Amino acid sequence: MLSPFRIARTAVSNRAFARFVHATDYVLTVLGHAVDRELGRVAPRLVLRFVPNTRDDGALLRLGDADLSVGIYEDLPPEMRSRVLLTDRFVCVVRDGHPKVPKRLTLDTYLAVEQVQVAPRGRPGGHVDDVLAERGLTRRVVRAVPYFHAALALVSTTDYLLTVPERMATAAAPALGLRVLELPIPTKPYALSLVWHPRYDADLAHRLARDALVRAAGEHAKGRHEEAETRLRPRGPTGPRPRRRS
């Protein structure tokens, strides 16, 4: 006799369900193929519609206008469910033959070279800029784009520099002719979490989508970085808010 779960999973497999997932093209690059393969096996008619992250992912999840989100956030509604999918750290990439960047990237060179920044939610600055600001330093960001692939393609044909997650850099560098370099300033690794509203805990199509993302991360984003940041530092209109002293 089939269990209730197997009966329900068979129903999901035979009907078309759509789930909206807020994520960056980084997530699609690192996990997309594995997620596609897993859902093709267990729920071939489950449709995942990936859309870019927004500043209001938490509110959209609460309202039911989004089903899942993958990212790192400042604050989320307190009722949200979440689990860490993967961790990563920042590195730098430049094109092969870059005239101003030798084999080892120094901090002086990093600050002097014009840079591209990926801003998925359209906001300037980020963790690297916060770390630099704490030292009284700034970098020369001259282009800001919303997508990692667009930034990587731009850097591959110019003399710009890009600070990017290591998993993305490693995946893209060979095809685009890029060199991967250590970031010349210490920064903490970060974690991307899978987030959803508890109303979907028992929703089977939703559960299959969550499970597919978790299994994909376990297969293609192995290894966890220690002390990875799980929340964005709150930012004011012109930069990071000062940390509270204990």
Side-chain angles (χ1 to χ4, degrees):
M1 175 178 280
L2 291 176
S3 69
F5 175 76
R6 289 190 176 183
I7 293 172
R9 189 172 73 177
T10 300
V12 170
S13 299
N14 293 330
R15 293 176 56 194
F17 289 83
R19 291 292 178 262
F20 285 85
V21 183
H22 286 229
T24 64
D25 59 330
Y26 165 92
V27 173
L28 289 170
T29 299
V30 176
L31 304 181
H33 288 300
V35 170
D36 182 69
R37 184 171 62 250
E38 180 64 19
L39 287 180
R41 184 178 67 84
V42 301
R45 300 198 67 189
L46 177 58
V47 177
L48 289 190
R49 302 186 187 279
F50 286 92
V51 296
N53 291 108
T54 74
R55 300 184 191 182
D56 302 314
D57 280 358
L60 294 173
L61 290 167
R62 172 179 269 176
L63 292 170
D65 293 333
D67 297 293
L68 286 163
S69 66
V70 180
I72 179 170
Y73 300 94
E74 293 178 18
D75 293 303
L76 288 166
E79 72 272 20
M80 290 299 158
R81 305 276 198 246
S82 69
R83 66 177 295 172
V84 171
L85 271 186
L86 58 88
T87 63
D88 211 335
R89 70 185 188 107
F90 290 112
V91 296
C92 298
V93 295
V94 295
R95 69 174 178 86
D96 283 334
H98 193 294
K100 297 180 180 179
V101 180
K103 290 184 178 180
R104 179 177 174 272
L105 180 61
T106 66
L107 180 57
D108 286 343
T109 301
Y110 181 79
L111 298 177
V113 173
E114 293 182 332
Q115 299 189 30
V116 179
Q117 181 187 24
V118 182
R121 299 181 180 104
R123 298 177 65 177
H127 178 58
V128 172
D129 299 283
D130 294 350
V131 172
L132 290 171
E134 289 171 355
R135 299 188 178 197
L137 303 172
T138 58
R139 54 178 176 155
R140 299 178 62 196
V141 175
V142 297
R143 301 287 184 271
V145 299
Y147 304 115
F148 288 94
H149 277 290
L152 288 161
L154 181 58
V155 169
S156 73
T157 58
T158 64
D159 289 336
Y160 296 142
L161 178 147
L162 174 66
T163 303
V164 68
E166 185 176 28
R167 297 186 194 278
M168 187 81 176
T170 302
L176 292 175
L178 299 171
R179 284 193 292 135
V180 181
L181 303 161
E182 288 293 319
L183 183 65
I185 188 169
T187 59
K188 279 192 172 184
Y190 67 92
L192 292 184
S193 295
L194 179 64
V195 184
W196 68 97
H197 194 278
R199 74 167 68 88
Y200 293 120
D201 282 349
D203 182 297
L204 183 59
H206 199 280
R207 175 178 167 182
L208 290 172
R210 297 196 308 265
D211 289 349
L213 283 159
V214 170
R215 280 193 288 270
E219 181 180 349
H220 287 275
K222 296 178 180 179
R224 293 288 175 90
H225 299 78
E226 295 183 1
E227 299 183 356
E229 298 275 10
T230 58
R231 293 179 62 185
L232 288 179
R233 182 176 171 184
R235 300 182 64 84
T238 59
R241 297 175 191 166
R243 291 178 178 169
R244 294 179 180 176
R245 296 184 181 274
S246 56

